[in-house]
Amino acid sequence: MKLGSTAVVITSSSSSSVATLGFPKNYYNKPSWFGQLLKTNMFPHHFPILSSSSSSISTTTEDSNDAVAAAKPKQQHPWLIVGLGNPGKKYYSTRHNVGFQMVDALADAEGISISGVSFKALLGKGFIGNVPVMLAKPPDFYECKWRVGAIASYYKIPLKQVLLIYDDLDLPFAKLRLLPKGGHGGHNGMKSVINHFKGSRDFPRLRIGIGRPPGKMDTANFVLRPFTKQEHEELDFMFQQGTEAVRILLLEGVNKSATFVNSTKSMEQLG
């Protein structure tokens, strides 16, 4: 530190050491502001060592950073919810597309816009409660395997948080079934996805019943047949139940969601 052109070197806190400050011995008795300051002991005779102070500041900063890091919430992986179906207006209101329709109903209920595109699949991002979600509609059954896998891999979504929604011939019409894992049940889209996941079946799925074709009707024709007005009403009721089931799944877990799904009644049963 410099005062004018004279270097100040502090070695002691006593008044006898004034000469060591680099001033004349009689300077202490001069009626100067600096001398008066020394007389009143208001001037700090010992300065803190800079390195020690810096160390203290650094330690305090590190502790503060640790506290902030501890308080910061852990980043949550999103859920990937995929509806299976065929694109295009021609197929939208058919049995094979109830997966698409369920995802659209969920998007409407939660205010999520499915307007983006990722790996050629329609994609929407948003939240259900405080849980981040991605809603996806792959362009077709046969290519959905690598699209679902690519999206999950790109966004680092664990397999247990990939929910597949699709139609099921073996369930009564408008009946829901939620399972934490399982096989493909002869569904081409599910076959594709399971094969892409190297045979792993450990991901949840929400199956939507479309019933069996009447009489000897060809199955391919049946699944592409449009719904009747009565069936549309039953589906709308079922989509409300499905939306609530997905909410419970994400916020409370698969067991509670499965209990809810298995205890719900269809519109026909309610009369």
Side-chain angles (χ1 to χ4, degrees), residues 15-237:
S15 59
S16 62
S17 63
V18 175
T20 64
L21 293 172
F23 296 97
K25 288 184 179 181
N26 63 349
Y27 189 86
Y28 187 84
N29 298 318
K30 284 186 178 182
S32 68
W33 67 271
F34 193 77
Q36 294 301 315
L37 198 62
L38 285 173
K39 273 188 178 182
T40 58
N41 288 323
M42 290 176 65
F43 191 82
H45 290 195
H46 294 282
F47 292 107
I49 299 173
L50 185 59
S51 60
S52 172
S53 175
S54 299
S55 175
S56 174
I57 292 171
S58 175
T59 303
T60 304
T61 303
E62 288 173 3
D63 291 343
S64 176
N65 288 340
D66 290 343
V68 170
K72 188 177 180 181
K74 188 177 179 182
Q75 187 176 4
Q76 223 174 347
H77 289 294
W79 272 77
L80 175 60
I81 301 174
V82 183
L84 301 184
N86 289 316
K89 291 182 179 180
K90 178 181 177 181
Y91 301 106
Y92 187 76
S93 294
T94 63
R95 284 164 170 73
H96 224 12
N97 265 32
V98 290
F100 273 7
Q101 293 179 61
M102 182 70 247
V103 167
D104 285 339
L106 187 60
D108 289 341
E110 300 298 334
I112 299 172
S113 173
I114 306 179
S115 55
V117 177
S118 182
F119 297 97
K120 295 187 178 181
L122 290 174
L123 195 71
K125 298 179 183 179
F127 287 85
I128 293 179
N130 61 345
V131 179
V133 296
M134 303 178 72
L135 307 180
K137 299 197 300 184
D140 57 61
F141 284 130
Y142 299 100
E143 288 193 19
C144 73
K145 59 178 181 179
W146 72 266
R147 299 187 197 283
V148 174
I151 294 171
S153 176
Y154 182 79
Y155 292 101
K156 297 180 173 59
I157 301 172
L159 202 55
K160 65 181 181 179
Q161 288 181 209
V162 177
L163 173 66
L164 270 289
I165 303 176
Y166 59 98
D167 58 287
D168 193 326
L169 283 162
D170 293 326
L171 285 177
F173 181 76
K175 176 67 178 176
L176 294 171
R177 181 66 55 81
L178 177 71
L179 295 171
K181 58 184 178 179
H184 53 72
H187 193 283
N188 290 329
M190 286 299 292
K191 277 183 186 177
S192 256
V193 173
I194 290 172
N195 288 339
H196 185 76
F197 287 145
K198 299 178 180 178
S200 176
R201 303 177 177 189
D202 298 334
F203 56 90
R205 66 283 315 276
L206 181 63
R207 294 155 54 198
I208 300 174
I210 59 173
R212 282 281 173 185
K216 296 182 179 180
M217 181 182 287
D218 180 64
T219 300
N221 291 332
F222 175 70
V223 298
L224 296 178
R225 191 172 73 170
F227 298 111
T228 65
K229 182 180 178 181
Q230 175 63 30
E231 287 173 334
H232 270 300
E233 291 176 1
E234 291 184 57
L235 281 176
D236 289 341
F237 182 78

